[in-house]
Amino acid sequence: MSGSYQKTKVGIAGVTGYTGEEVLTWLLKHPRVELSYVAASEDVGSLANRLPRWADVPGIPACEGLNAQRMAGSCDVALLALPHTQSMAVVPGLLKAGVRVVDLSADYRLREAPVYEKWYQHAHTDTANIANAVYGLCEYCGEELKQAQLVANPGCYPTAVSLALLPLLKSDLYSGGTVIVDAKSGVTGAGRKVAAALQFSEVNENLKAYKVAVHQHTPEMLQTLKDFSGFDSSLVFVPHLIPMNRGIVATCYVPLKAPSTSAELKALYETAYAQAPFVRIKAKGEAPETAQVAHTNYCDIGVFADESGNTAVVISAIDNLAKGAATQAIQNLNRMMGWPETEGLLR
Amino acid sequence: MSGSYQKTKVGIAGVTGYTGEEVLTWLLKHPRVELSYVAASEDVGSLANRLPRWADVPGIPACEGLNAQRMAGSCDVALLALPHTQSMAVVPGLLKAGVRVVDLSADYRLREAPVYEKWYQHAHTDTANIANAVYGLCEYCGEELKQAQLVANPGCYPTAVSLALLPLLKSDLYSGGTVIVDAKSGVTGAGRKVAAALQFSEVNENLKAYKVAVHQHTPEMLQTLKDFSGFDSSLVFVPHLIPMNRGIVATCYVPLKAPSTSAELKALYETAYAQAPFVRIKAKGEAPETAQVAHTNYCDIGVFADESGNTAVVISAIDNLAKGAATQAIQNLNRMMGWPETEGLLR
Amino acid sequence: MSGSYQKTKVGIAGVTGYTGEEVLTWLLKHPRVELSYVAASEDVGSLANRLPRWADVPGIPACEGLNAQRMAGSCDVALLALPHTQSMAVVPGLLKAGVRVVDLSADYRLREAPVYEKWYQHAHTDTANIANAVYGLCEYCGEELKQAQLVANPGCYPTAVSLALLPLLKSDLYSGGTVIVDAKSGVTGAGRKVAAALQFSEVNENLKAYKVAVHQHTPEMLQTLKDFSGFDSSLVFVPHLIPMNRGIVATCYVPLKAPSTSAELKALYETAYAQAPFVRIKAKGEAPETAQVAHTNYCDIGVFADESGNTAVVISAIDNLAKGAATQAIQNLNRMMGWPETEGLLR
Amino acid sequence: MSGSYQKTKVGIAGVTGYTGEEVLTWLLKHPRVELSYVAASEDVGSLANRLPRWADVPGIPACEGLNAQRMAGSCDVALLALPHTQSMAVVPGLLKAGVRVVDLSADYRLREAPVYEKWYQHAHTDTANIANAVYGLCEYCGEELKQAQLVANPGCYPTAVSLALLPLLKSDLYSGGTVIVDAKSGVTGAGRKVAAALQFSEVNENLKAYKVAVHQHTPEMLQTLKDFSGFDSSLVFVPHLIPMNRGIVATCYVPLKAPSTSAELKALYETAYAQAPFVRIKAKGEAPETAQVAHTNYCDIGVFADESGNTAVVISAIDNLAKGAATQAIQNLNRMMGWPETEGLLR
């Protein structure tokens, strides 16, 4: 459809999960990508056998059982949308074969294996490559993405939270005190797994916090905030489950050194993200809404000072499957390949 | 059906709103109440003409256009589920006629008329009776309810927030610093009004904060926290709209003087509410869920310390139409009449 | 609370399922019932251990692992809210011990064991008692309920469909041709089981027919329609899954012998149900809504003729857990005991 | 991005409605289209002022107040997503100026003005052009679309129903008797209007039929079925409102001349739609689901015979905003322009 580009061969592992399916949706639209390989945990044949939505849609290879060697033989870049602990089993082989990897699991996000093992209850079997992974929070990455062989795609909550907090934590306005993050997520954040607590009748017309102050994304957020802002204070993170499919809102409360106004805070954010094509700062007094970022790579941020001016309230909204996973992975792909950052992501 | 009590005549004003309808539901079950009068903004005839759900249900008087004099002539106690600013028009007449009143609107909750006028953008026309109103947060009221002629029923958010915060704010554990309240509510909290932003297609599959740090329930919370705990620090209150009909979760973050554990905090709450029949403290590590309090007068509270021990996370869940409005009003009625506090509220 | 009645001891088996929990809700309110026994598939101790909603609620016995002998020793009447095939294992023992039984499963609804075995894929192990069971569609039962030792409580779909169809099928207006029933149900109709297809993210924002023309309630409907109206034509039954918790709408299309009007049809239904306290006929031009019967024992019915007058459209709405299961069981209990039919069911 | 095509200038009127916004979404992706004009009922400036979702998205012209002359000056083709009765005010001017029009309203769907006036309660002011309009049900249109100056885009229900019924009604299998259509729609089908009955709390956890046998799409269906199959029997159409945003399921019941099997019926449909790129026939025993067609131009159809073989059950599912409105309009645009039918519609 799109003219004269030499297309890059890209494959997806884990295409039958919610995240993998979202990666598929976007890669099919990408003008510089040839979707050359898709795999699930077993040989599915036509993807439509598992996901009837995709019947008759052109451009989707047969869905194989994941095989690292076959993937390496078919792809220039591999996007891995696998459950945690499964990526580390295939990444070494892919890298050795010269395939560049964007891993959407948590396996390469934490730089220290013991931290990974504590929070994910699983021994890390590829510690060698952890150090080689670039943490792909595009808005804060530099040229390192261009050379990266392995990119760890940020988690959904860490994406929303880091984008909301970093400008303020990096600034002189932040007091250095405890930061509160009250996050809310739709149900696809839990993946396409079957659980009693995720049955429709249990989630619908219900609302609850979960994993209060013990969510496995907490160390990832701490690492990221430290890396990009030097943050070394306390972060209290409480996620909530919302009866909807998609979307995350992270409502962040940051203590300020001296009273500030909403206008000052907003100006700080506008400057910080002036060059970021996928971060939008809301107008004064307006909070972001998940429906306004659904099925997009945008992160919308609303910035407020409380009445006393001593606390900043920064609220971010993303689509957990898009900016929180699949489209952010493609944003990383664009940066790795030297393509325009917005390629294939604006429509 | 219920034996030998002399029944008390109770009336409802505003019966066609969500709150009024919920009051109706519960009064019909109350063994000591005769529902003697129901009124809406206009003469409806059979309530079923407006709310077909109630067709053929016995025990409901014809629904009149609200008339204070007729209400006074028919009731010993009046429950007013009117929009804000409408209660103050009928309360003086009812009180003068010797009728006791539980007002579910905001009209008599704030002790200072200017504060009311600032937050509700409306001149208060019955300042004389503001001072006479007892703020009916039953768990913190004493014998004054027994004599009260006028009870101001707490707002839905203030109920959830006050019950969550007061034990800690009253204790030595609280540092005196800024308290964060991140609240989430189902859509009936907005009442049965028609608004573009509340259309199904706008709310469903959407999530957003609203009135960030400017919600009109803030001064009520500040007044209540001050009254019952001496609180005089900053409170940052951010409500969110959740795509469900009923339920509030208030997630409260309180800075502690010295590191504490979840077990210590939980013990504090268990002691504080040992005598409160409608407050339940969750087991260690468990957060409350709105579905578990839906259609009940319970407030469930989960108590946590963060990893550092310096921040307490206290989470309360209520049904905004029940404990946050109608059943709390009946709990107040029970206390006013000297009946058992749980009468008519347990099933 | 309830005065001078000698209370009847009633037990619930299967109290942790959606239906069993709904039976519990209503029995706790029933003025003539002492809840004397509750059981699940295993020893739960306090029911709150499994269903935190019930913490602190007075009047609930400890929840045992189901034991027919212990149930027989504790109850005058047993309400069985068990999965299909489990009722037939305990009913013989209960009956032998003189306990009267209302069975909410499908085990005793079909009079012919082979039909049961075909549709439920399970050998019937208590064929002896099938013949003794009274099919408890109260609106069409007579005095036999008063003597019944075993009542088979109708299924949720058959309840909605039979109440909608019978007046017309019994009348001279029905042509004798094929009857179409297009039914829609909320998700609790599937019970509290865990299934991939019932996960929130799969059901929410989705709509589908299922078991098209092969639903296991079809033979029950055919038997009931034949028993009460002599129906022996074709019934095409197609159920649909709706993204909501509770509620059934059955939209029924009946061919007429000669053109008729909505008014004539409505008059027929009003006459048919003049003595039925729980069937309400909607006003001309109005369709029933599930929200108007939620948490009640009502069945609302709207009656229409199409433009040609040759087809009647009869639409019924019930709450699948209440009139479609739990409250209908209590209506049966009332009739068995000779109590007023509405006892404990109106509020 | 799209290479060497000469782009066609296309404009949208009514871009702030749900349908208009959906047209926008798809036109932005269309490789042969330059979006040259967008308009709402008033001058909005940046579309983001009204619909913040579109902030920063490139390629959207300023949103003007609709002006037929300005639209004519900016567009080769006009897509009108206006409320009924508003299209007929601008179509004459657009046609006169040589602009080709796809009208998504009902204004030009019915060939006889009195029928329109009866069902839409509004005098038709452009009867001259009714005769010139081509009814754009692409799967049944021929070459006339290529020359069409004015295309009436089918309604959402008629699209789902016609695609489901036509193969069977055209066949020898149909008995000629009454056809029943039981349809279910998500809430966006009602448009972005504000109504008490469409408030979240009224629709959520509720289910109801509406406009029983009197829906304004009925004459459009009758006309279409007659045009393409000679149908002249009775059609009973009953729509239902489902608590979800998007999606229609039409469950159609057709009497057969002689007993038939599901396999025979399925074969008929597969043949009928062998050349239709956007109609998919489900495998034996499978019903379509709206989630599988959401945000696509597909119509999925499941075909069943009932047990007797005398009734066919044909179930279609579409996205009401896509195949039921916006993407069907683009399918028409593709056909009008002689472009590949699937251009811009597959991803």
Side-chain angles (χ1 to χ4, degrees):
Chain A
M1 169 168 62
S2 65
S4 50
Y5 303 125
Q6 165 103 30
K7 301 234 178 164
T8 295
K9 291 181 178 182
V10 180
I12 309 170
V15 71
T16 54
Y18 289 132
T19 298
E21 192 178 355
E22 186 78 10
V23 173
L24 172 68
T25 302
W26 288 87
L27 283 187
L28 286 173
K29 300 196 263 198
H30 199 293
R32 309 211 195 202
V33 165
E34 177 196 340
L35 182 63
S36 57
Y37 178 86
V38 302
S41 56
E42 51 183 356
D43 191 344
V44 166
S46 166
L47 181 60
N49 293 335
R50 193 63 62 81
L51 301 176
R53 174 177 181 80
W54 297 99
D56 296 0
V57 176
I60 308 176
C63 179
E64 312 185 358
L66 177 59
N67 176 301
Q69 227 171 334
R70 284 200 36 88
M71 191 171 203
S74 315
C75 309
D76 303 313
V77 185
L79 270 56
L80 307 182
L82 297 168
H84 308 314
T85 79
Q86 294 187 15
S87 280
M88 61 176 88
V90 294
V91 162
L94 291 168
L95 293 178
K96 220 167 280 172
V99 175
R100 301 175 80 181
V101 175
V102 181
D103 179 30
L104 288 84
S105 86
D107 285 4
Y108 295 91
R109 292 181 198 151
L110 295 170
R111 257 195 319 281
E112 296 171 37
V115 178
Y116 176 89
E117 292 168 358
K118 172 184 168 191
W119 289 86
Y120 289 90
Q121 284 95 43
H122 193 273
H124 206 295
T125 60
D126 183 30
T127 51
N129 281 311
I130 294 183
N132 302 325
V134 173
Y135 185 77
L137 186 67
C138 293
E139 285 74 10
Y140 290 88
C141 289
E143 287 302 299
E144 68 274 25
L145 273 175
K146 212 157 178 178
Q147 269 68 46
Q149 296 303 306
L150 173 58
V151 171
N153 205 54
C156 53
Y157 282 129
T159 299
V161 171
S162 302
L163 293 177
L165 286 176
L166 281 170
L168 195 46
L169 298 187
K170 289 170 72 173
S171 80
D172 284 342
L173 301 175
Y174 169 49
S175 78
T178 296
V179 170
I180 306 288
V181 175
D182 189 292
K184 301 96 184 161
S185 176
V187 183
T188 55
R192 196 174 245 143
K193 70 184 175 213
V194 179
L198 299 180
Q199 294 287 296
F200 183 86
S201 307
E202 299 295 318
V203 173
N204 185 44
E205 283 295 297
N206 196 8
L207 173 60
K208 61 172 175 181
Y210 66 101
K211 298 187 182 174
V212 178
V214 297
H215 192 280
Q216 72 277 5
H217 279 174
T218 309
E220 181 184 340
M221 288 186 267
L222 285 170
Q223 174 182 287
T224 305
L225 298 180
K226 185 168 193 184
D227 282 359
F228 294 113
S229 79
F231 180 79
D232 66 351
S233 183
S234 281
L235 179 79
V236 181
F237 176 68
V238 180
H240 299 72
L241 187 67
I242 305 297
M244 63 183 196
N245 284 359
R246 283 168 178 252
I248 284 180
V249 164
T251 312
C252 307
Y253 302 87
V254 182
L256 300 178
K257 209 176 280 176
S260 188
T261 66
S262 294
E264 288 165 346
L265 294 168
K266 181 167 168 283
L268 173 74
Y269 275 76
E270 282 172 339
T271 303
Y273 290 119
Q275 307 305 321
F278 290 114
V279 179
R280 300 184 295 197
I281 310 304
K282 301 291 294 180
K284 185 168 182 298
E286 286 181 16
E289 308 189 14
T290 61
Q292 293 172 2
V293 295
H295 300 281
T296 81
N297 193 47
Y298 285 108
C299 175
D300 282 1
I301 299 180
V303 190
F304 305 82
D306 84 320
E307 213 188 5
S308 74
N310 290 310
T311 301
V313 183
V314 187
I315 310 176
S316 62
I318 63 169
D319 181 328
N320 57 301
L321 291 179
K323 179 65 171 173
T327 56
Q328 182 164 228
I330 292 170
Q331 191 180 358
N332 274 305
L333 172 68
N334 288 340
R335 294 278 293 273
M336 291 164 80
M337 302 302 294
W339 300 333
E341 187 161 0
T342 60
E343 192 83 336
L345 290 174
L346 283 174
R347 43 200 62 166
Chain B
M1 171 166 61
S2 66
S4 52
Y5 304 124
Q6 165 102 29
K7 302 238 178 160
T8 296
K9 292 182 177 182
V10 180
I12 308 171
V15 72
T16 53
Y18 289 132
T19 298
E21 191 179 356
E22 186 77 10
V23 172
L24 171 68
T25 302
W26 289 87
L27 283 186
L28 286 173
K29 302 197 261 199
H30 199 293
R32 311 212 193 201
V33 164
E34 177 196 341
L35 182 62
S36 58
Y37 179 85
V38 302
S41 56
E42 50 181 357
D43 192 344
V44 165
S46 166
L47 181 58
N49 293 337
R50 192 62 62 83
L51 302 175
R53 175 178 181 80
W54 297 98
D56 295 359
V57 176
I60 308 176
C63 180
E64 311 185 357
L66 176 59
N67 177 304
Q69 227 172 333
R70 283 203 32 90
M71 191 172 203
S74 316
C75 309
D76 302 314
V77 185
L79 270 57
L80 307 182
L82 296 168
H84 308 313
T85 77
Q86 295 187 15
S87 280
M88 61 177 87
V90 293
V91 161
L94 291 168
L95 292 178
K96 219 167 280 174
V99 176
R100 300 176 78 182
V101 174
V102 181
D103 179 30
L104 288 87
S105 86
D107 286 3
Y108 295 91
R109 293 181 197 151
L110 295 169
R111 257 196 319 280
E112 294 170 39
V115 178
Y116 176 89
E117 291 168 358
K118 172 186 167 190
W119 288 87
Y120 290 89
Q121 284 93 44
H122 193 273
H124 206 296
T125 59
D126 183 31
T127 50
N129 280 311
I130 293 183
N132 301 327
V134 173
Y135 186 77
L137 185 66
C138 292
E139 285 74 11
Y140 290 87
C141 290
E143 287 302 299
E144 67 274 25
L145 274 175
K146 214 158 176 176
Q147 270 69 46
Q149 296 304 305
L150 171 60
V151 171
N153 206 54
C156 53
Y157 281 130
T159 298
V161 171
S162 301
L163 293 176
L165 286 177
L166 281 171
L168 195 47
L169 298 188
K170 289 170 71 174
S171 80
D172 284 341
L173 301 175
Y174 169 50
S175 77
T178 296
V179 170
I180 307 289
V181 175
D182 189 292
K184 299 95 183 162
S185 176
V187 183
T188 54
R192 196 174 245 143
K193 70 184 175 213
V194 180
L198 298 179
Q199 292 287 296
F200 182 87
S201 307
E202 300 295 318
V203 172
N204 184 45
E205 283 295 296
N206 196 8
L207 172 60
K208 61 173 177 180
Y210 66 100
K211 297 186 184 174
V212 178
V214 298
H215 192 281
Q216 72 278 5
H217 280 174
T218 308
E220 181 184 340
M221 289 186 266
L222 285 169
Q223 174 182 289
T224 304
L225 298 179
K226 185 168 194 182
D227 283 357
F228 294 113
S229 79
F231 179 80
D232 65 351
S233 183
S234 280
L235 178 80
V236 181
F237 177 69
V238 179
H240 299 73
L241 187 67
I242 305 297
M244 61 184 197
N245 284 0
R246 282 168 178 253
I248 283 179
V249 164
T251 311
C252 306
Y253 303 87
V254 182
L256 300 178
K257 208 178 284 176
S260 188
T261 66
S262 293
E264 288 166 345
L265 294 169
K266 181 168 167 282
L268 174 74
Y269 276 76
E270 282 171 340
T271 304
Y273 290 119
Q275 307 306 321
F278 290 113
V279 180
R280 300 184 294 198
I281 310 304
K282 300 292 293 180
K284 185 169 181 296
E286 286 181 14
E289 308 189 14
T290 60
Q292 294 173 1
V293 296
H295 300 281
T296 80
N297 193 46
Y298 285 109
C299 175
D300 283 1
I301 299 180
V303 191
F304 305 82
D306 84 321
E307 213 188 5
S308 74
N310 290 312
T311 302
V313 183
V314 187
I315 311 176
S316 61
I318 63 169
D319 180 329
N320 58 300
L321 291 180
K323 179 64 171 172
T327 56
Q328 183 165 229
I330 293 171
Q331 191 180 357
N332 273 306
L333 171 68
N334 288 340
R335 295 278 294 275
M336 291 164 79
M337 303 302 295
W339 300 334
E341 187 161 359
T342 60
E343 192 82 337
L345 290 174
L346 284 174
R347 42 202 60 166
Chain C
M1 173 168 60
S2 65
S4 51
Y5 303 125
Q6 166 101 29
K7 301 237 179 161
T8 296
K9 291 182 178 183
V10 180
I12 309 171
V15 71
T16 54
Y18 289 131
T19 298
E21 191 178 357
E22 186 77 11
V23 173
L24 172 68
T25 303
W26 289 88
L27 283 186
L28 286 173
K29 300 195 263 201
H30 198 292
R32 310 213 195 202
V33 164
E34 177 195 342
L35 182 63
S36 58
Y37 178 85
V38 303
S41 56
E42 51 183 356
D43 191 344
V44 166
S46 166
L47 182 59
N49 294 337
R50 193 61 63 80
L51 301 176
R53 175 177 181 81
W54 297 99
D56 296 0
V57 176
I60 308 176
C63 178
E64 311 185 358
L66 176 58
N67 176 303
Q69 228 171 333
R70 283 198 39 83
M71 191 171 202
S74 315
C75 310
D76 303 314
V77 185
L79 270 55
L80 307 183
L82 297 168
H84 308 313
T85 78
Q86 295 187 14
S87 280
M88 62 177 88
V90 294
V91 161
L94 291 168
L95 292 179
K96 219 167 281 175
V99 176
R100 301 175 79 181
V101 174
V102 181
D103 179 30
L104 289 84
S105 86
D107 286 3
Y108 295 92
R109 291 180 197 151
L110 296 170
R111 256 195 320 278
E112 294 170 38
V115 178
Y116 176 89
E117 293 169 358
K118 172 185 168 190
W119 290 86
Y120 290 91
Q121 284 94 42
H122 193 274
H124 206 295
T125 60
D126 183 30
T127 51
N129 280 311
I130 293 182
N132 301 326
V134 173
Y135 186 78
L137 186 67
C138 292
E139 285 73 11
Y140 290 87
C141 289
E143 288 302 300
E144 68 274 24
L145 274 175
K146 213 159 178 176
Q147 268 68 46
Q149 295 303 306
L150 172 59
V151 171
N153 205 55
C156 52
Y157 281 130
T159 299
V161 171
S162 301
L163 293 177
L165 285 177
L166 281 170
L168 195 46
L169 298 188
K170 289 169 72 173
S171 80
D172 285 342
L173 300 175
Y174 169 48
S175 77
T178 296
V179 170
I180 307 288
V181 175
D182 189 292
K184 300 96 184 162
S185 175
V187 184
T188 55
R192 195 175 246 145
K193 71 184 175 212
V194 180
L198 299 180
Q199 294 287 298
F200 183 86
S201 307
E202 300 295 319
V203 173
N204 185 45
E205 283 295 296
N206 196 8
L207 172 60
K208 62 172 175 182
Y210 66 100
K211 298 187 184 173
V212 177
V214 297
H215 192 281
Q216 72 277 6
H217 280 174
T218 308
E220 181 183 340
M221 289 185 267
L222 285 170
Q223 174 182 287
T224 305
L225 298 180
K226 185 168 193 181
D227 282 358
F228 294 113
S229 79
F231 179 78
D232 66 351
S233 183
S234 281
L235 178 79
V236 181
F237 176 68
V238 179
H240 299 74
L241 187 67
I242 305 298
M244 62 183 198
N245 284 0
R246 282 169 179 251
I248 283 179
V249 164
T251 312
C252 307
Y253 303 86
V254 182
L256 300 178
K257 207 177 284 176
S260 188
T261 65
S262 294
E264 288 165 345
L265 294 168
K266 182 167 167 282
L268 173 74
Y269 276 75
E270 282 172 339
T271 304
Y273 290 118
Q275 307 306 321
F278 291 113
V279 179
R280 302 184 293 198
I281 310 304
K282 301 290 294 179
K284 184 168 183 298
E286 287 182 15
E289 308 189 15
T290 60
Q292 293 172 1
V293 295
H295 300 281
T296 80
N297 193 47
Y298 286 108
C299 175
D300 282 0
I301 299 179
V303 191
F304 305 82
D306 84 320
E307 214 189 3
S308 74
N310 290 310
T311 302
V313 183
V314 186
I315 310 176
S316 61
I318 63 169
D319 180 329
N320 57 301
L321 291 179
K323 179 63 170 174
T327 56
Q328 182 165 229
I330 292 171
Q331 191 180 357
N332 273 305
L333 172 68
N334 287 341
R335 294 278 294 273
M336 290 164 80
M337 302 302 294
W339 301 333
E341 186 161 1
T342 60
E343 192 83 335
L345 289 174
L346 284 174
R347 41 200 62 167
Chain D
M1 173 167 58
S2 65
S4 50
Y5 303 125
Q6 166 103 27
K7 302 237 178 162
T8 296
K9 292 183 177 180
V10 180
I12 308 170
V15 72
T16 54
Y18 289 133
T19 297
E21 191 179 357
E22 186 77 8
V23 173
L24 171 69
T25 303
W26 288 88
L27 283 186
L28 286 173
K29 301 196 263 200
H30 199 292
R32 309 211 194 201
V33 164
E34 177 196 340
L35 182 62
S36 57
Y37 179 85
V38 302
S41 57
E42 51 184 354
D43 192 344
V44 165
S46 166
L47 181 60
N49 293 337
R50 192 64 61 82
L51 301 176
R53 174 179 182 79
W54 297 99
D56 295 0
V57 176
I60 308 176
C63 180
E64 312 186 358
L66 176 58
N67 176 303
Q69 227 171 333
R70 283 198 37 86
M71 191 170 202
S74 315
C75 309
D76 303 314
V77 186
L79 270 56
L80 308 182
L82 297 168
H84 307 313
T85 77
Q86 295 188 14
S87 279
M88 63 177 86
V90 292
V91 162
L94 291 168
L95 292 178
K96 219 168 280 174
V99 176
R100 301 175 78 182
V101 174
V102 182
D103 179 30
L104 288 85
S105 85
D107 286 3
Y108 295 91
R109 293 182 197 149
L110 296 170
R111 255 196 319 279
E112 294 169 39
V115 179
Y116 176 89
E117 291 168 358
K118 172 185 168 192
W119 289 87
Y120 290 90
Q121 283 94 40
H122 193 273
H124 206 296
T125 60
D126 183 31
T127 50
N129 281 311
I130 294 183
N132 301 327
V134 173
Y135 186 77
L137 185 67
C138 292
E139 285 73 10
Y140 290 88
C141 290
E143 288 302 300
E144 67 274 25
L145 274 175
K146 213 157 177 176
Q147 268 69 48
Q149 296 303 306
L150 171 59
V151 171
N153 205 54
C156 51
Y157 282 130
T159 298
V161 171
S162 301
L163 293 176
L165 286 177
L166 281 171
L168 195 46
L169 298 188
K170 289 170 70 173
S171 80
D172 284 341
L173 301 175
Y174 169 49
S175 77
T178 296
V179 169
I180 307 288
V181 174
D182 188 292
K184 300 94 182 164
S185 176
V187 183
T188 54
R192 196 173 245 143
K193 70 184 176 212
V194 180
L198 298 180
Q199 293 287 297
F200 183 86
S201 307
E202 300 295 318
V203 173
N204 185 45
E205 284 293 298
N206 196 8
L207 173 60
K208 62 172 176 181
Y210 65 101
K211 297 187 184 173
V212 178
V214 297
H215 192 280
Q216 72 277 6
H217 280 174
T218 309
E220 181 184 341
M221 288 186 268
L222 284 171
Q223 174 182 290
T224 304
L225 297 179
K226 185 167 194 184
D227 282 357
F228 295 112
S229 79
F231 179 78
D232 66 351
S233 183
S234 282
L235 178 79
V236 181
F237 176 70
V238 179
H240 300 73
L241 187 67
I242 305 298
M244 61 184 199
N245 284 0
R246 280 170 179 251
I248 283 179
V249 164
T251 311
C252 307
Y253 303 86
V254 181
L256 301 178
K257 208 176 284 176
S260 188
T261 66
S262 293
E264 289 165 345
L265 294 169
K266 181 166 168 283
L268 173 74
Y269 276 75
E270 282 172 339
T271 303
Y273 291 118
Q275 307 306 321
F278 291 113
V279 179
R280 300 184 295 198
I281 310 304
K282 301 292 293 179
K284 185 170 181 295
E286 287 181 14
E289 309 189 13
T290 60
Q292 293 173 1
V293 295
H295 299 281
T296 81
N297 193 47
Y298 286 108
C299 175
D300 282 1
I301 299 180
V303 191
F304 305 81
D306 84 321
E307 214 188 4
S308 74
N310 290 311
T311 302
V313 183
V314 186
I315 311 177
S316 61
I318 63 169
D319 180 329
N320 57 301
L321 291 180
K323 179 65 171 171
T327 57
Q328 182 164 229
I330 292 170
Q331 191 179 357
N332 273 306
L333 171 67
N334 288 341
R335 295 278 296 273
M336 291 164 79
M337 302 301 295
W339 301 334
E341 187 160 0
T342 60
E343 192 82 337
L345 290 174
L346 284 174
R347 40 202 60 166

